[in-house]
Amino acid sequence: MPQTLPPDLVEALNTAAGAAVDQSAGTPGAVVGVRTDTGTWLGTFGTADPSTGKANTRDTHFRIGSVTKMFTATLLLQMVESGGLTLADPIADYVPAVPGGDQITLDLLARMRSGLANYTSVPEVAALIVADPAAPQEPDAMIRLGLSHSPVFAPDERFDYCNTNYLLLGRVIEQVADSDFGSLLSEHILKPLGLTGTWWPGDSAELPHPFARGFTLLVPSGTPGEPVDATDFNPSWGGAAGSLVSTADDLLAFSSILATGDGLLGAGTQALRLDSFAPAPSMGPGVGYGLGLMQIDGWIGHSGDIAGYRAA
């Protein structure tokens, strides 16, 4: 375990993070971490369960939404290194009936330049989830709904954030490896790196203990005074694009390894990944998007939102 950061820096981090939580829109609590080459700080704020007053701890589990994409893209790049596929492969080689699939490469999917429609923006998907938030949703059904509204633009014409891309990449990874996504994630990333707090839920709405309850305004009955408890909403609709559960400790560890590639990718593949960013203007001025990574004001990583939870 890295050493603790200097006391004056710890005090400043506690003050800044505490103020940010206090100023957020009714957030019950958060776990915030910083790791440098000289030490680590991890602060816990607010409650994991407002009804009981149970506090957050460094072991509290959260749904991490699209931070999942960092893991999915890493699995994809590991398969590139093993020779199982190439980033230049068209998605048509793996999944039939993708509009323009012979021109949409795995690279374009991973860098959000496919031209496919984002299934989470399709009205039928939102209606399906709101109608029964606890019901499992098949990734293939989500893919079909995204493809039914595609294409939005020609392949590689521009950037457009699209969860459909990462569900498709999840299917490619499973097909090439002849195994399910959760098993591959565990075998190639979680176990080798000792990420014991990170969990693939599959089609389950359960969360490992201890966990934070999540609250949302993204359903019609939610109000600022009474947000909806989304803890038991089934995340299966997010699949390889956004279903993972993790802890702040695990994400600090994964981020540190992600920065160097050590234990994940060879030097050449790591260099390719860190050179893959292209402008993503729809995400904001100066933002770039690469192979499962965002670049924002010099920071490299990924953010994630799913009903009730936010991660970065």
Side-chain angles (χ1 to χ4, degrees), residues 118-145:
N118 185 2
Y119 74 95
T120 53
S121 298
V122 172
E124 298 97 305
V125 172
L128 199 63
I129 295 170
V130 169
D132 190 356
Q137 304 292 340
E138 283 292 329
D140 285 344
M142 302 294 98
I143 290 172
R144 286 194 295 271
L145 285 167

Side-chain angles (χ1 to χ4, degrees), residues 1-2 12 19 35 76 133 140 164 175 177 185 214 216 223 225 241 246 250 266 278 280:
M1 178 67 66
R35 178 166 292 175
L76 180 74
D140 285 344
T164 311
Q175 183 177 329
L185 186 70
T216 185
T223 67
S246 192
D250 266 20

